[in-house]
């Protein structure tokens, strides 16, 4: 079992995620996840696939196909880029603060 690793420099990761191009596809059916195609920073010929599901209890479940995620990393730049795009649709922004 792979233990999940959390990013250390979240502000750097957040800044990097804002430079990535993202295309979001809406869920086909209620309860299905959003799917996003996110460009890769390391190889411009590659894209990463991100799925995002908003659970009723307020949790966000996200998965990415990048190497970081395959080895247990969470909150990669691709997931943050997809979440940013979804937030923009609602005229909102991601925040990492616990309170407004």
């Amino acid at each position: 079992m792979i233990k999940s690793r959390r990013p250390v420099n979240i502000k750097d990761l957040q800044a990097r995620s804002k430079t990535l191009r993202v295309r979001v596809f809406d869920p086909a059916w209620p309860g299905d996840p959003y799917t996003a195609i996110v460009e890769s920073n390391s190889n411009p010929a590659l894209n990463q696939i991100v799925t995002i599901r908003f659970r009723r209890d307020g949790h966000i479940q996200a998965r990415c196909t990048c190497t970081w995620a395959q080895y247990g990393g969470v909150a990669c730049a691709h997931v943050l880029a997809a979440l940013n795009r979804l937030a923009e649709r609602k005229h909102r922004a991601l925040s990492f603060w616990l309170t407004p």
Side-chain angles (χ1 to χ4, degrees), residues 7 96 99:
F96 295 96
T99 61

Side-chain angles (χ1 to χ4, degrees), residues 3-72:
K3 184 178 179 175
S4 56
R5 301 178 304 179
R6 295 175 187 231
V8 178
N9 301 318
I10 194 73
K11 287 297 184 183
D12 292 338
L13 188 64
Q14 184 182 25
R16 215 169 356 128
S17 74
K18 291 181 179 181
T19 66
L20 299 174
R21 287 182 294 187
V22 180
R23 182 166 180 201
V24 175
F25 297 91
D26 291 333
W29 301 98
D32 283 354
Y34 287 88
T35 303
I37 299 173
V38 183
E39 75 174 333
S40 172
N41 263 341
S42 59
N43 186 341
L46 293 178
N47 291 311
Q48 303 300 335
I49 306 299
V50 175
T51 57
I52 299 171
R53 184 182 312 264
F54 295 96
R55 295 176 39 186
R56 289 183 185 180
D57 63 3
H59 286 89
I60 299 172
Q61 191 174 18
R63 293 183 183 197
C64 183
T65 57
C66 73
T67 305
W68 168 259
Q70 290 173 8
Y71 288 99

Side-chain angles (χ1 to χ4, degrees), residues 60-95:
I60 299 172
Q61 191 174 18
R63 293 183 183 197
C64 183
T65 57
C66 73
T67 305
W68 168 259
Q70 290 173 8
Y71 288 99
V74 297
C76 65
H78 311 105
V79 167
L80 291 180
L83 288 170
N84 273 322
R85 179 57 48 91
L86 287 169
E88 286 173 5
R89 287 175 151 192
K90 294 185 174 190
H91 306 287
R92 294 183 177 180
L94 289 186
S95 174

